[in-house]
Amino acid sequence: MIIDIPENSDFSIYNIPFGIFSTKLRTPRAGVAIGDHILDLVALSELGVFDFDTSVFNKNTLNDFISLGKPITNKVRSSIQLWISDENSPISNKPKLFVLQSESQMHMPINVGDYTDFYSSIEHATNVGTMFRDKENPLLPNWKHIPVGYHGRSSSIIISKQPVIRPKGQVLPPNSTQPVFKATERLDFELEMAFITGKKTELGDSVSVDNAEDHIFGLVLLNDWSARDIQKWEYIPLGPFLAKSFASSISPWIVTLEALDQFRLAGPDQNPEVLPYLKYNGKKNYNIELEVSIKPENSEDQVIAKSNFKYLYWNMVQQLTHQSVNGCNINVGDLYGSGTISGKTPDSYGSMLELSWMGTKPIKMKNGSERKFLNNGDTITLRGFSQKNGQRVGFGEVVTKILPAK
Ligand code: CA
């Protein structure tokens, strides 16, 4: 290796995720995370090692680079893997190609044009249906036939480390018919992942299950913030609105679909049988371990839930196929959230709503306090990684502090 990569780093030689970073001396630009460092792709391209227009690296988002398509983006990734491993490569003995992550600032890696959020965890949908509607029939009749989703707000998607301001809105107090306007008292996280599209389609065209992976560039962690009391009052009949649109946070490094290839596994059986356009072949789920922690102000970070991306009932291929089946166009840089990823056991639930079971089972924190929902000053961190045969591919983290309402 031409650079030291700590053991157990999320950013091993097997990963090579893409992001946008800056330092005191370097304007925002494309980079690749390697161990504790970032490889500066603008500086790298100045060595003349690439045979395409490398101005795409000197931008404040990755959209243009991603638009070049997988033959080029995959070649960049595999070339870097080779060069990092080879002491005699064109990039050895060139310390100015690398900067420390600790001395860099990360930026939104993409300009998100459209944001869809799915609802694809059967455990999460069952928990929510049990709490809010009918514990005998928690899933609505469409749930096992349609990868249910809605269009979210792309302009409020923010990067890790940017704080979230507690939202205000209409809330219906218990036993009342008259709503009040106030700051949410039920601020919640949602443990999700999201994929980013890398290949566009035209209006009227559809992506099929067989070619959907061609359109998926990579994945990030997603914390899809929610205000449960506002949501409860507003969501009928048209679904989520202001309870969701105040912020959704993503991790800064986009891990490519190719880096995750060896972590594929089969998804859950889908019964009843899905319609033919949603039938797929092969392994389309991924074994990605996920966790959520809360760090109360002036206290220590505490893991409160562990889940896994593999639990999802509907996979990414089915989600993207369904999104486009009506001829809706897909653009480069669109973001598709998985929906909250809950596992089968209460310690694997992906939201405070479920972990505290609507506030009836408070979570005990190490500093003696309790949480039903989230407090001002709490810092919420999502982490995710895959590991197999000593090879680790991780997402780093998405860290967000909650600030009081304005
Ligand atoms: Ca969500």
Side-chain angles (χ1 to χ4, degrees):
M1 294 293 165
I2 66 162
I3 191 150
D4 187 42
I5 303 175
E7 210 176 318
N8 268 331
S9 173
D10 277 357
F11 308 120
S12 69
I13 191 75
Y14 309 104
N15 193 344
I16 315 293
F18 294 91
I20 296 288
F21 75 101
S22 66
T23 67
K24 274 185 192 144
L25 299 175
R26 300 180 203 220
T27 52
R29 60 186 63 195
V32 155
I34 298 174
D36 295 335
H37 289 81
I38 297 171
L39 171 59
D40 180 337
L41 292 177
V42 173
L44 176 62
S45 61
E46 283 165 0
L47 300 177
V49 292
F50 295 121
D51 57 2
F52 57 90
D53 177 4
T54 54
S55 65
V56 293
F57 292 136
N58 203 1
K59 302 266 168 92
N60 54 17
T61 67
L62 291 169
N63 293 58
D64 289 350
F65 169 62
I66 294 172
S67 298
L68 295 175
K70 288 202 186 220
I72 290 180
T73 57
N74 283 342
K75 179 87 187 301
V76 168
R77 181 171 165 266
S78 58
S79 300
I80 291 171
Q81 285 177 314
L82 281 176
W83 294 333
I84 296 280
S85 312
D86 176 6
E87 300 284 347
N88 298 312
S89 79
I91 70 171
S92 61
N93 298 315
K94 295 195 172 58
K96 284 186 178 164
L97 294 178
F98 295 93
V99 297
L100 275 168
Q101 288 182 35
S102 58
E103 292 172 3
S104 308
Q105 186 189 346
M106 297 307 296
H107 303 270
M108 274 292 290
I110 44 166
N111 177 31
V112 180
D114 279 299
Y115 166 41
T116 294
D117 195 25
F118 287 97
Y119 190 57
S120 290
S121 154
I122 195 166
E123 289 82 5
H124 173 68
T126 301
N127 285 341
V128 173
T130 301
M131 276 183 249
F132 286 105
R133 294 183 307 97
D134 176 2
K135 66 173 187 282
E136 303 304 320
N137 294 292
L139 294 180
L140 286 167
N142 61 7
W143 199 90
K144 287 186 170 177
H145 296 279
I146 293 177
V148 169
Y150 74 100
H151 285 112
R153 180 96 182 159
S154 49
S155 63
S156 55
I157 295 173
I158 57 176
I159 190 77
S160 177
K161 294 188 179 170
Q162 185 173 339
V164 160
I165 297 158
R166 181 175 294 270
K168 294 183 285 196
Q170 283 200 25
V171 173
L172 188 69
N175 309 313
S176 176
T177 53
Q178 180 64 32
V180 297
F181 176 74
K182 63 186 213 180
T184 178
E185 290 179 356
R186 296 198 154 196
L187 183 59
D188 202 354
F189 63 81
E190 287 189 318
L191 171 59
E192 301 196 21
M193 299 204 67
F195 69 85
I196 290 155
T197 40
K199 186 176 174 183
K200 64 178 288 187
T201 64
E202 301 299 328
L203 270 177
D205 288 345
S206 303
V207 171
S208 73
V209 284
D210 294 328
N211 67 18
E213 284 179 358
D214 259 4
H215 293 261
I216 299 174
F217 176 72
L219 284 79
V220 291
L221 299 166
L222 169 69
N223 183 345
D224 187 33
W225 299 96
S226 302
R228 301 298 182 193
D229 41 7
I230 297 171
Q231 184 177 5
K232 192 178 177 192
W233 173 233
E234 77 174 3
Y235 86 104
I236 295 169
L238 288 187
F241 191 38
L242 305 187
K244 298 283 187 178
S245 61
F246 58 95
S248 303
S249 303
I250 64 169
S251 54
W253 294 106
I254 307 175
V255 175
T256 62
L257 202 58
E258 289 68 27
L260 295 167
D261 198 54
Q262 62 166 322
F263 307 107
R264 286 173 185 270
L265 39 72
D269 280 342
Q270 295 185 328
N271 186 12
E273 207 174 342
V274 298
L275 286 174
Y277 79 93
L278 289 169
K279 278 188 190 157
Y280 65 94
N281 293 310
K283 296 173 175 171
K284 302 296 180 193
N285 280 45
Y286 293 84
N287 189 0
I288 304 172
E289 296 185 38
L290 301 169
E291 69 174 37
V292 188
S293 65
I294 300 180
K295 182 186 176 301
E297 189 111 82
N298 304 317
S299 185
E300 59 184 303
D301 193 58
Q302 177 176 341
V303 173
I304 56 158
K306 291 191 174 199
S307 188
N308 195 304
F309 189 60
K310 71 182 178 187
Y311 295 136
L312 288 182
Y313 187 87
W314 297 103
N315 60 54
M316 295 184 283
V317 159
Q318 292 178 309
Q319 290 168 339
L320 189 58
T321 299
H322 184 67
Q323 171 84 54
S324 67
V325 75
N326 63 345
C328 168
N329 52 334
I330 305 295
N331 285 307
V332 171
D334 289 350
L335 192 80
Y336 298 82
S338 58
T340 306
I341 306 166
S342 293
K344 294 186 194 321
T345 55
D347 57 357
S348 65
Y349 294 164
S351 64
M352 290 302 289
L353 178 72
E354 295 162 270
L355 289 165
S356 78
W357 207 255
M358 258 198 313
T360 61
K361 294 178 184 170
I363 293 177
K364 292 209 170 11
M365 302 302 296
K366 285 179 184 164
N367 67 359
S369 63
E370 288 187 338
R371 290 291 179 285
K372 296 174 179 171
F373 293 91
L374 302 172
N375 288 5
N376 294 340
D378 285 352
T379 298
I380 311 304
T381 303
L382 313 187
R383 300 179 188 88
F385 68 92
S386 297
Q387 197 155 5
K388 190 178 175 183
N389 303 329
Q391 301 186 1
R392 183 175 170 113
V393 171
F395 290 79
E397 47 187 36
V398 51
V399 188
T400 316
K401 186 169 183 177
I402 298 167
L403 301 183
K406 277 191 181 172

